[in-house]
Amino acid sequence: MFGLFKKKDPIQDKIDKLTAKYKKITEEAFNLSRSDRKASDLKTAEAEEILKEIEELRTS
């Protein structure tokens, strides 16, 4: 209950959101790999860009 009023770190909050987005896109890429390889590769590239953003935020 006391954690309810605690301020969240905005950087960690953004990292959490990007991580969730990364997992979702990676799963979509996996599902597309069975039917459409080109679309799967595009999703994988998009996921890698998000991973780079996450790493950038962690190092700063």
Side-chain angles (χ1 to χ4, degrees):
M1 180 168 166
F2 293 106
L4 181 66
F5 301 109
K6 204 176 213 183
K7 276 191 156 187
K8 287 189 175 182
D9 183 21
I11 294 174
Q12 186 60 41
D13 190 39
K14 188 167 184 172
I15 289 173
D16 292 342
K17 287 179 183 177
L18 286 172
T19 303
K21 188 175 180 181
Y22 172 77
K23 287 180 182 180
K24 181 182 173 192
I25 291 174
T26 304
E27 186 177 323
E28 288 175 10
F30 176 72
N31 290 335
L32 282 171
S33 70
R34 298 177 185 156
S35 60
D36 188 4
R37 185 64 188 176
K38 186 175 182 179
S40 173
D41 290 343
L42 291 174
K43 285 288 184 181
T44 303
E46 185 179 342
E48 286 179 16
E49 290 297 320
I50 293 172
L51 190 60
K52 286 180 186 176
E53 285 182 50
I54 292 170
E55 290 299 319
E56 234 177 70
L57 288 171
R58 285 187 178 159
T59 58
S60 63

Coordinates of all heavy atoms in Angstrom, one line a residue:
M1 N 0.8 -1.2 0.0 CA 0.0 0.0 0.0 C 0.9 1.3 0.0 O 0.5 2.2 -0.6 CB -0.9 0.0 1.2 CG -1.8 1.2 1.3 SD -3.1 1.0 2.5 CE -3.6 2.7 2.6
F2 N 2.0 1.2 0.7 CA 2.8 2.4 0.7 C 3.6 2.6 -0.6 O 3.9 3.7 -0.9 CB 3.8 2.3 1.9 CG 3.2 2.3 3.2 CD1 3.1 1.1 4.0 CD2 2.6 3.4 3.7 CE1 2.5 1.1 5.2 CE2 2.0 3.5 4.9 CZ 1.9 2.3 5.7
G3 N 3.7 1.6 -1.4 CA 4.3 1.7 -2.7 C 3.4 2.4 -3.7 O 3.8 2.8 -4.8
L4 N 2.1 2.5 -3.3 CA 1.1 3.2 -4.2 C 1.4 4.6 -4.4 O 1.2 5.1 -5.5 CB -0.3 3.0 -3.5 CG -1.4 3.6 -4.3 CD1 -1.6 2.8 -5.6 CD2 -2.7 3.6 -3.4
F5 N 2.0 5.3 -3.4 CA 2.2 6.7 -3.5 C 3.7 7.1 -3.9 O 4.1 8.2 -4.0 CB 1.9 7.5 -2.2 CG 0.5 7.3 -1.8 CD1 0.1 6.4 -0.8 CD2 -0.5 7.9 -2.6 CE1 -1.2 6.3 -0.4 CE2 -1.9 7.7 -2.2 CZ -2.2 6.9 -1.1
K6 N 4.4 6.0 -4.1 CA 5.9 6.2 -4.5 C 6.0 6.6 -6.0 O 5.3 6.1 -6.8 CB 6.6 4.9 -4.3 CG 8.0 4.9 -4.1 CD 8.6 3.5 -3.9 CE 9.7 3.6 -2.9 NZ 10.3 2.3 -2.7
K7 N 6.8 7.6 -6.2 CA 7.1 8.0 -7.6 C 7.8 7.0 -8.3 O 8.8 6.4 -7.8 CB 7.9 9.3 -7.6 CG 7.0 10.5 -7.5 CD 7.9 11.8 -7.8 CE 7.0 12.9 -8.2 NZ 7.8 14.0 -8.7
K8 N 7.4 6.7 -9.6 CA 8.1 5.7 -10.4 C 9.2 6.5 -11.2 O 9.1 7.6 -11.6 CB 7.2 5.1 -11.4 CG 6.3 4.1 -10.7 CD 5.5 3.3 -11.8 CE 4.7 2.2 -11.1 NZ 4.0 1.4 -12.1
D9 N 10.3 5.7 -11.4 CA 11.3 6.3 -12.3 C 10.8 6.3 -13.7 O 10.5 5.3 -14.3 CB 12.6 5.4 -12.1 CG 13.8 5.9 -12.9 OD1 13.8 7.1 -13.2 OD2 14.7 5.1 -13.2
P10 N 10.8 7.5 -14.4 CA 10.3 7.6 -15.7 C 11.1 6.7 -16.7 O 10.6 6.2 -17.7 CB 10.3 9.0 -16.1 CG 11.2 9.7 -15.0 CD 11.2 8.8 -13.9
I11 N 12.4 6.6 -16.5 CA 13.2 5.8 -17.4 C 12.9 4.4 -17.3 O 12.7 3.7 -18.3 CB 14.7 6.1 -17.2 CG1 15.1 7.6 -17.5 CG2 15.6 5.1 -18.0 CD1 16.5 8.0 -17.2
Q12 N 12.7 3.9 -16.1 CA 12.4 2.5 -15.9 C 11.0 2.2 -16.4 O 10.8 1.1 -17.0 CB 12.5 2.1 -14.4 CG 12.3 0.6 -14.1 CD 13.3 -0.3 -14.8 OE1 14.5 0.1 -14.8 NE2 12.9 -1.4 -15.4
D13 N 10.1 3.1 -16.3 CA 8.8 2.9 -16.8 C 8.8 2.8 -18.3 O 8.1 1.9 -18.9 CB 7.9 4.1 -16.4 CG 6.4 3.9 -16.7 OD1 5.9 2.8 -16.5 OD2 5.8 4.9 -17.1
K14 N 9.6 3.6 -19.0 CA 9.7 3.6 -20.4 C 10.4 2.2 -20.9 O 10.0 1.6 -21.8 CB 10.5 4.7 -20.9 CG 10.5 4.8 -22.4 CD 11.1 6.2 -22.9 CE 10.9 6.2 -24.4 NZ 11.2 7.5 -25.0
I15 N 11.4 1.8 -20.1 CA 12.0 0.5 -20.4 C 11.0 -0.6 -20.3 O 11.0 -1.5 -21.1 CB 13.2 0.3 -19.4 CG1 14.4 1.2 -19.8 CG2 13.7 -1.2 -19.5 CD1 15.6 1.2 -18.8
D16 N 10.2 -0.6 -19.3 CA 9.2 -1.6 -19.1 C 8.2 -1.7 -20.3 O 7.8 -2.7 -20.8 CB 8.4 -1.4 -17.8 CG 9.3 -1.7 -16.6 OD1 10.3 -2.3 -16.7 OD2 8.9 -1.2 -15.5
K17 N 7.8 -0.5 -20.7 CA 6.8 -0.4 -21.9 C 7.5 -0.9 -23.1 O 6.9 -1.7 -23.9 CB 6.4 1.0 -22.1 CG 5.4 1.5 -21.0 CD 5.0 2.9 -21.2 CE 4.1 3.4 -20.1 NZ 3.7 4.8 -20.3
L18 N 8.8 -0.5 -23.4 CA 9.5 -1.0 -24.6 C 9.7 -2.5 -24.5 O 9.7 -3.2 -25.6 CB 10.8 -0.2 -24.7 CG 10.7 1.2 -25.2 CD1 12.1 1.9 -25.1 CD2 10.1 1.3 -26.6
T19 N 10.0 -3.0 -23.3 CA 10.2 -4.5 -23.2 C 8.9 -5.2 -23.6 O 9.0 -6.3 -24.3 CB 10.7 -4.8 -21.8 OG1 11.8 -4.1 -21.5 CG2 10.9 -6.3 -21.6
A20 N 7.8 -4.7 -23.1 CA 6.5 -5.4 -23.4 C 6.3 -5.3 -24.9 O 5.8 -6.3 -25.6 CB 5.4 -4.7 -22.7
K21 N 6.6 -4.2 -25.5 CA 6.4 -4.0 -27.0 C 7.3 -4.9 -27.7 O 7.0 -5.6 -28.7 CB 6.7 -2.6 -27.4 CG 6.3 -2.2 -28.8 CD 6.5 -0.7 -29.0 CE 6.2 -0.4 -30.5 NZ 6.3 1.1 -30.7
Y22 N 8.6 -5.1 -27.3 CA 9.6 -6.0 -27.9 C 9.1 -7.4 -27.9 O 9.1 -8.1 -28.9 CB 10.9 -5.8 -27.1 CG 11.9 -6.8 -27.6 CD1 12.6 -6.7 -28.8 CD2 12.2 -8.0 -26.8 CE1 13.6 -7.6 -29.2 CE2 13.1 -8.9 -27.2 CZ 13.8 -8.7 -28.4 OH 14.7 -9.6 -28.8
K23 N 8.6 -7.9 -26.7 CA 8.1 -9.2 -26.6 C 6.9 -9.5 -27.6 O 6.8 -10.5 -28.2 CB 7.6 -9.5 -25.2 CG 8.8 -9.7 -24.2 CD 8.3 -10.0 -22.8 CE 9.5 -10.0 -21.9 NZ 9.1 -10.3 -20.5
K24 N 6.0 -8.5 -27.7 CA 4.8 -8.6 -28.5 C 5.3 -8.7 -30.0 O 4.8 -9.6 -30.8 CB 3.9 -7.4 -28.4 CG 2.7 -7.5 -29.2 CD 1.8 -6.3 -29.0 CE 0.6 -6.3 -30.0 NZ 0.0 -5.0 -30.0
I25 N 6.2 -7.9 -30.4 CA 6.6 -7.9 -31.8 C 7.4 -9.1 -32.1 O 7.3 -9.7 -33.2 CB 7.4 -6.6 -32.1 CG1 6.5 -5.4 -32.1 CG2 8.1 -6.7 -33.5 CD1 7.2 -4.1 -32.2
T26 N 8.2 -9.6 -31.2 CA 9.0 -10.8 -31.4 C 8.0 -12.0 -31.6 O 8.3 -12.9 -32.4 CB 9.9 -11.1 -30.2 OG1 10.8 -9.9 -30.0 CG2 10.8 -12.3 -30.4
E27 N 7.0 -12.1 -30.8 CA 6.0 -13.1 -30.9 C 5.3 -13.1 -32.3 O 5.1 -14.1 -32.9 CB 5.0 -13.0 -29.8 CG 4.0 -14.2 -29.8 CD 3.0 -14.1 -28.6 OE1 3.5 -13.6 -27.5 OE2 1.9 -14.4 -28.8
E28 N 5.0 -11.9 -32.7 CA 4.3 -11.7 -34.0 C 5.3 -12.2 -35.1 O 4.9 -12.8 -36.1 CB 4.0 -10.2 -34.3 CG 2.8 -9.8 -33.5 CD 2.5 -8.3 -33.7 OE1 3.1 -7.6 -34.6 OE2 1.7 -7.7 -32.9
A29 N 6.6 -11.8 -35.0 CA 7.5 -12.3 -36.0 C 7.6 -13.8 -36.1 O 7.7 -14.4 -37.1 CB 8.9 -11.6 -35.7
F30 N 7.6 -14.4 -34.9 CA 7.7 -15.9 -34.9 C 6.4 -16.5 -35.6 O 6.6 -17.4 -36.3 CB 7.7 -16.4 -33.4 CG 7.7 -17.8 -33.3 CD1 8.8 -18.6 -33.7 CD2 6.6 -18.5 -32.8 CE1 8.7 -20.0 -33.6 CE2 6.5 -19.9 -32.7 CZ 7.6 -20.6 -33.1
N31 N 5.3 -15.9 -35.3 CA 4.1 -16.5 -35.9 C 4.1 -16.2 -37.4 O 3.6 -17.1 -38.2 CB 2.8 -15.8 -35.3 CG 2.6 -16.3 -33.9 OD1 3.0 -17.4 -33.5 ND2 2.0 -15.5 -33.1
L32 N 4.6 -15.1 -37.9 CA 4.7 -14.8 -39.3 C 5.7 -15.7 -40.0 O 5.6 -15.9 -41.2 CB 5.0 -13.3 -39.5 CG 3.9 -12.3 -39.3 CD1 4.4 -10.9 -39.4 CD2 2.8 -12.5 -40.4
S33 N 6.7 -16.1 -39.3 CA 7.8 -16.9 -39.9 C 7.2 -18.2 -40.5 O 7.8 -18.8 -41.4 CB 8.9 -17.2 -38.9 OG 8.4 -18.2 -38.0
R34 N 6.1 -18.6 -40.1 CA 5.5 -19.9 -40.7 C 4.8 -19.6 -42.0 O 4.6 -20.5 -42.8 CB 4.5 -20.4 -39.7 CG 5.1 -20.8 -38.4 CD 4.1 -21.3 -37.4 NE 4.7 -21.6 -36.1 CZ 4.1 -21.6 -35.0 NH1 2.8 -21.4 -35.0 NH2 4.7 -21.8 -33.9
S35 N 4.4 -18.4 -42.2 CA 3.6 -18.1 -43.4 C 4.2 -17.1 -44.4 O 4.1 -17.3 -45.6 CB 2.2 -17.7 -43.1 OG 2.2 -16.5 -42.3
D36 N 4.8 -16.0 -43.8 CA 5.3 -15.0 -44.7 C 6.7 -14.5 -44.2 O 6.8 -13.8 -43.2 CB 4.3 -13.8 -44.6 CG 4.7 -12.7 -45.6 OD1 5.6 -12.9 -46.4 OD2 4.0 -11.7 -45.6
R37 N 7.7 -15.1 -44.8 CA 9.1 -14.8 -44.3 C 9.5 -13.4 -44.4 O 10.1 -12.9 -43.5 CB 10.0 -15.7 -45.2 CG 11.4 -15.7 -44.7 CD 11.5 -16.3 -43.3 NE 12.9 -16.1 -42.8 CZ 13.3 -16.4 -41.6 NH1 12.5 -17.0 -40.8 NH2 14.5 -16.2 -41.3
K38 N 9.1 -12.7 -45.4 CA 9.5 -11.3 -45.6 C 8.9 -10.4 -44.5 O 9.6 -9.6 -43.9 CB 9.0 -10.7 -47.0 CG 9.5 -9.4 -47.3 CD 9.1 -9.0 -48.7 CE 9.6 -7.6 -49.0 NZ 9.3 -7.2 -50.4
A39 N 7.6 -10.6 -44.2 CA 7.0 -9.9 -43.1 C 7.6 -10.2 -41.8 O 7.8 -9.3 -40.9 CB 5.5 -10.2 -43.1
S40 N 8.0 -11.5 -41.6 CA 8.7 -11.9 -40.4 C 10.0 -11.2 -40.2 O 10.4 -10.7 -39.1 CB 8.9 -13.4 -40.4 OG 9.7 -13.8 -39.3
D41 N 10.7 -11.0 -41.3 CA 12.0 -10.3 -41.2 C 11.8 -8.9 -40.9 O 12.6 -8.3 -40.2 CB 12.8 -10.5 -42.6 CG 13.3 -11.9 -42.8 OD1 13.3 -12.7 -41.9 OD2 13.6 -12.2 -44.0
L42 N 10.8 -8.2 -41.4 CA 10.5 -6.8 -41.1 C 10.2 -6.7 -39.6 O 10.6 -5.7 -39.0 CB 9.4 -6.3 -42.0 CG 9.7 -6.2 -43.5 CD1 8.4 -5.8 -44.2 CD2 10.8 -5.1 -43.7
K43 N 9.4 -7.6 -39.1 CA 9.0 -7.5 -37.7 C 10.3 -7.7 -36.8 O 10.4 -7.1 -35.8 CB 8.0 -8.6 -37.3 CG 6.6 -8.2 -37.8 CD 6.0 -7.1 -36.9 CE 4.6 -6.8 -37.3 NZ 4.0 -5.7 -36.6
T44 N 11.1 -8.6 -37.2 CA 12.4 -8.9 -36.5 C 13.3 -7.7 -36.5 O 13.8 -7.3 -35.4 CB 13.1 -10.1 -37.1 OG1 12.2 -11.2 -37.1 CG2 14.4 -10.4 -36.3
A45 N 13.3 -7.0 -37.6 CA 14.1 -5.7 -37.7 C 13.5 -4.7 -36.8 O 14.3 -3.9 -36.1 CB 14.2 -5.3 -39.1
E46 N 12.2 -4.6 -36.7 CA 11.6 -3.6 -35.9 C 11.8 -3.9 -34.4 O 12.1 -3.0 -33.6 CB 10.1 -3.7 -36.1 CG 9.2 -2.6 -35.4 CD 7.8 -2.7 -35.7 OE1 7.4 -3.3 -36.7 OE2 7.0 -2.1 -34.9
A47 N 11.8 -5.2 -34.0 CA 12.1 -5.6 -32.7 C 13.6 -5.3 -32.3 O 13.8 -4.9 -31.1 CB 11.8 -7.1 -32.5
E48 N 14.5 -5.4 -33.2 CA 15.9 -5.1 -32.9 C 16.1 -3.6 -32.7 O 16.9 -3.3 -31.8 CB 16.8 -5.6 -34.1 CG 16.9 -7.1 -34.1 CD 17.8 -7.6 -35.3 OE1 18.5 -6.7 -35.9 OE2 17.8 -8.7 -35.6
E49 N 15.3 -2.8 -33.4 CA 15.4 -1.3 -33.1 C 14.9 -1.0 -31.7 O 15.5 -0.2 -31.1 CB 14.6 -0.6 -34.2 CG 15.1 -0.6 -35.6 CD 16.5 0.1 -35.7 OE1 16.7 1.1 -35.0 OE2 17.4 -0.5 -36.4
I50 N 13.9 -1.7 -31.3 CA 13.3 -1.5 -30.0 C 14.4 -1.9 -28.9 O 14.6 -1.3 -27.9 CB 12.0 -2.2 -29.8 CG1 10.9 -1.5 -30.7 CG2 11.5 -2.2 -28.3 CD1 9.6 -2.2 -30.7
L51 N 15.0 -3.0 -29.2 CA 16.0 -3.5 -28.3 C 17.2 -2.6 -28.2 O 17.7 -2.3 -27.1 CB 16.5 -4.9 -28.8 CG 17.4 -5.7 -27.8 CD1 16.7 -6.0 -26.5 CD2 17.9 -7.0 -28.5
K52 N 17.6 -1.9 -29.3 CA 18.6 -0.9 -29.2 C 18.2 0.3 -28.4 O 19.0 0.8 -27.6 CB 18.9 -0.4 -30.6 CG 19.7 -1.4 -31.5 CD 20.0 -0.8 -32.9 CE 20.6 -1.8 -33.7 NZ 20.8 -1.3 -35.1
E53 N 16.9 0.7 -28.5 CA 16.4 1.8 -27.6 C 16.5 1.4 -26.1 O 16.9 2.2 -25.3 CB 15.0 2.1 -28.0 CG 14.8 2.9 -29.3 CD 13.3 3.2 -29.5 OE1 12.7 3.7 -28.6 OE2 12.8 2.9 -30.6
I54 N 16.1 0.2 -25.8 CA 16.2 -0.3 -24.4 C 17.6 -0.2 -23.9 O 17.9 0.2 -22.8 CB 15.6 -1.7 -24.3 CG1 14.1 -1.7 -24.6 CG2 15.9 -2.3 -23.0 CD1 13.5 -3.1 -24.8
E55 N 18.6 -0.7 -24.7 CA 20.0 -0.7 -24.3 C 20.5 0.7 -24.1 O 21.2 1.0 -23.2 CB 20.8 -1.5 -25.3 CG 20.6 -2.9 -25.3 CD 20.9 -3.6 -24.0 OE1 21.9 -3.2 -23.3 OE2 20.1 -4.5 -23.6
E56 N 20.0 1.6 -25.0 CA 20.4 3.0 -24.9 C 19.9 3.6 -23.5 O 20.7 4.4 -22.9 CB 19.8 3.8 -26.0 CG 20.8 4.6 -26.8 CD 20.1 5.3 -28.0 OE1 19.3 6.2 -27.8 OE2 20.4 4.9 -29.1
L57 N 18.7 3.3 -23.2 CA 18.1 3.8 -22.0 C 18.8 3.3 -20.7 O 19.0 3.9 -19.7 CB 16.6 3.5 -21.9 CG 15.7 4.4 -22.8 CD1 14.3 3.8 -22.8 CD2 15.7 5.8 -22.4
R58 N 19.2 2.0 -20.8 CA 19.9 1.4 -19.7 C 21.3 1.9 -19.4 O 21.7 2.0 -18.3 CB 20.0 -0.1 -19.9 CG 18.6 -0.8 -19.7 CD 18.8 -2.3 -19.7 NE 17.5 -2.9 -19.4 CZ 17.1 -4.1 -19.8 NH1 18.0 -4.9 -20.4 NH2 15.9 -4.6 -19.5
T59 N 21.9 2.3 -20.5 CA 23.3 2.8 -20.3 C 23.3 4.3 -19.9 O 24.3 4.8 -19.4 CB 24.1 2.7 -21.6 OG1 23.4 3.4 -22.7 CG2 24.3 1.2 -22.0
S60 N 22.2 5.0 -20.1 CA 22.2 6.4 -19.7 C 21.7 6.6 -18.3 O 21.4 5.8 -17.6 CB 21.2 7.2 -20.7 OG 19.9 6.8 -20.5

